[in-house]
Amino acid sequence: MKYRRLGNTGLIVSEVALGTMQFGAKMNMGNLGQEDTTRMVKIALDRGINFIDTADVYSLGESETLVGNALRGLRQEIVLATKVRLPMGENFNRSGATRVNIMREVEGSLQRLQTDYIDLYQIHGWDSNTPLEETLRTLDDIVRQGKVRHIGLSNFMSWQAATAVMLQERLGLEKYVTAQMYYSLVGRSLEFEFQSFAEYHNIGILVWSPLAGGFLTGKYSRANPAPAGTRFADAGSFVPFDKEMGYRVVEVLKEVAGRHDVSPARVALSWLLGRTAVSSVIVAARKAEQLEDNIGAVDLRLSDEDVRLLDAASDPGVPYPKWMVLQLDTAEDPRSRTLYPERYADGGHWKDLRRTRWSG
């Protein structure tokens, strides 16, 4: 296993984290019980994973309970993350990033996980019905109380995350150190803005659904759709993407995988580990052999040609305003070429769209 810092903290986590949505039966995302959960956690720890991510809403608390049981006697050896925000019952006050809900749910998570602190507590999504300051002050409070060590966000748009971070800085509150976001070879929209935001603020990206709900395992094609019983078939398209583009990506994944004699899934995970600002990639396997294979991604080194092929097959294009930002800051500003000549060693990482006098 290889390790990285968790965002801009001193905490060190494994490059691959164990996801837990498959633990428990109330979400139909794996239906693994206690015996299987304990076995999967043991495999992860034996292979050097020290980072486990869960959420209160996963099977409505059942996942946290199963993980807590599996970690008896081992809690101090791992970095444990969970989340709050999504509905935990019919009562509308059991939802959201409100002071009432966060204070209640952090206690529930602590109890289910059988611990007196949470290493990383994450807001599971933006809450448009709660004042942002209420959420941020509450998170600061539970850090000061010692119930939480660090805080993170998940599934925010760039402006939402930036607004939160700037408010934390202005009010002197505990700051977000991670962003748990969807990112994969068929879902690269994170690169449009959020990735640059994370780099600028030293926020570590935690990648969820790196295999696009199982699609990037390479098992499915136009002629071979997902069979009944698979997670992709049972849960549907867990993350949306253009299927035709997806099939092209899978073809290249298989080509690259053949060069290294590994699985397409391992290639897809390795590609993510090479992206900027990524602290850890979360894998949620249902079978031991799947978990073992996913962990192997940390030792796979893709060649420049491998990455070029994967980038080209999955290229989503560059939307406005990012292309204009790159055009002005990279192609048309002579200071960039002077200050960062290494960026232009291969001809430049942004093609000058307007062929200005500074393009070379």
Side-chain angles (χ1 to χ4, degrees):
M1 182 54 62
K2 294 180 175 63
Y3 302 88
R4 303 180 180 185
R5 290 172 60 197
L6 184 69
N8 192 31
T9 76
L11 201 57
I12 298 173
V13 296
S14 48
E15 287 189 341
V16 171
L18 179 65
T20 62
M21 189 179 287
Q22 72 278 28
F23 301 153
K26 296 178 182 178
M27 293 181 70
N28 194 31
M29 295 298 292
N31 302 318
L32 300 187
Q34 188 62 67
E35 182 178 350
D36 287 328
T37 297
T38 301
R39 182 165 59 95
M40 296 293 274
V41 168
K42 184 179 186 306
I43 291 172
L45 298 182
D46 287 347
R47 298 300 180 271
I49 288 179
N50 76 334
F51 189 19
I52 297 178
D53 176 78
T54 187
D56 57 0
V57 76
Y58 293 170
S59 287
L60 294 179
E62 187 179 357
S63 175
E64 287 185 327
T65 298
L66 295 172
V67 169
N69 290 336
L71 290 176
R72 286 176 183 167
L74 301 169
R75 170 65 184 96
Q76 299 297 324
E77 306 306 316
I78 60 100
V79 176
L80 188 57
T82 191
K83 298 180 282 293
V84 63
R85 158 68 178 91
L86 300 182
M88 288 293 287
E90 296 297 326
N91 185 328
F92 42 70
N93 281 319
R94 294 188 64 86
S95 179
T98 66
R99 174 170 287 271
V100 167
N101 196 49
I102 291 173
M103 292 297 234
R104 175 176 51 232
E105 285 306 312
V106 73
E107 296 294 345
S109 291
L110 289 169
Q111 182 178 8
R112 290 186 291 267
L113 291 167
Q114 301 177 47
T115 183
D116 57 1
Y117 71 97
I118 294 164
D119 294 291
L120 178 65
Y121 200 54
Q122 303 155 97
I123 297 297
H124 213 153
W126 179 260
D127 184 354
S128 61
N129 296 305
T130 300
L132 180 57
E133 186 173 339
E134 176 181 333
T135 299
L136 301 181
R137 287 195 181 277
T138 305
L139 292 174
D140 187 75
D141 286 344
I142 60 177
V143 171
R144 302 290 165 246
Q145 293 166 3
K147 296 174 182 178
V148 169
R149 300 295 191 252
H150 299 288
I151 58 173
L153 58 87
S154 180
N155 304 315
F156 280 32
M157 289 187 284
S158 299
W159 74 263
Q160 295 169 338
T163 302
V165 169
M166 298 306 290
L167 187 57
Q168 288 168 331
E169 291 179 348
R170 181 163 67 85
L171 298 177
L173 303 176
E174 191 73 17
K175 290 196 291 186
Y176 286 129
V177 299
T178 59
Q180 187 169 149
M181 306 292 286
Y182 166 58
Y183 193 13
S184 80
L185 273 166
V186 293
R188 294 177 56 184
S189 57
L190 197 73
E191 298 171 5
F192 296 163
E193 290 190 44
F194 199 96
Q195 195 172 47
S196 298
F197 155 79
E199 287 184 88
Y200 188 85
H201 288 280
N202 293 312
I203 289 177
I205 294 174
L206 308 177
V207 179
W208 64 263
S209 201
L211 300 178
F215 183 82
L216 294 176
T217 60
K219 294 183 293 185
Y220 313 128
S221 66
R222 296 179 185 87
N224 182 37
T230 62
R231 180 169 59 172
F232 196 79
D234 292 347
S237 297
F238 188 62
V239 290
F241 58 89
D242 180 86
K243 291 297 189 299
E244 285 303 309
M245 182 269 288
Y247 292 135
R248 292 196 301 271
V249 169
V250 168
E251 289 172 0
V252 175
L253 272 176
K254 291 179 177 179
E255 177 185 343
V256 173
R259 296 179 182 180
H260 296 272
D261 193 25
V262 297
S263 69
R266 195 179 298 191
V267 173
L269 296 172
S270 179
W271 179 86
L272 280 168
L273 288 170
R275 312 310 283 184
T276 58
V278 171
S279 282
S280 192
V281 175
I282 302 168
V283 297
R286 290 194 295 176
K287 299 179 181 179
E289 55 269 28
Q290 293 172 337
L291 180 58
E292 296 272 12
D293 183 67
N294 290 346
I295 293 172
V298 303
D299 295 317
L300 175 61
R301 287 294 169 261
L302 300 176
S303 69
D304 291 343
E305 175 63 10
D306 293 334
V307 174
R308 187 192 67 77
L309 288 172
L310 292 166
D311 285 350
S314 60
D315 184 10
V318 182
Y320 178 84
K322 184 172 183 177
W323 65 258
M324 180 58 85
V325 170
L326 291 171
Q327 175 70 24
L328 298 179
D329 193 55
T330 300
E332 298 188 25
D333 190 335
R335 297 172 300 170
S336 296
R337 190 177 296 273
T338 299
L339 294 172
Y340 309 106
E342 68 279 2
R343 297 181 181 177
Y344 299 83
D346 62 351
H349 61 294
W350 177 249
K351 184 178 180 181
D352 186 357
L353 300 178
R354 300 191 291 205
R355 297 183 180 180
T356 69
R357 57 180 295 200
W358 305 113
S359 62

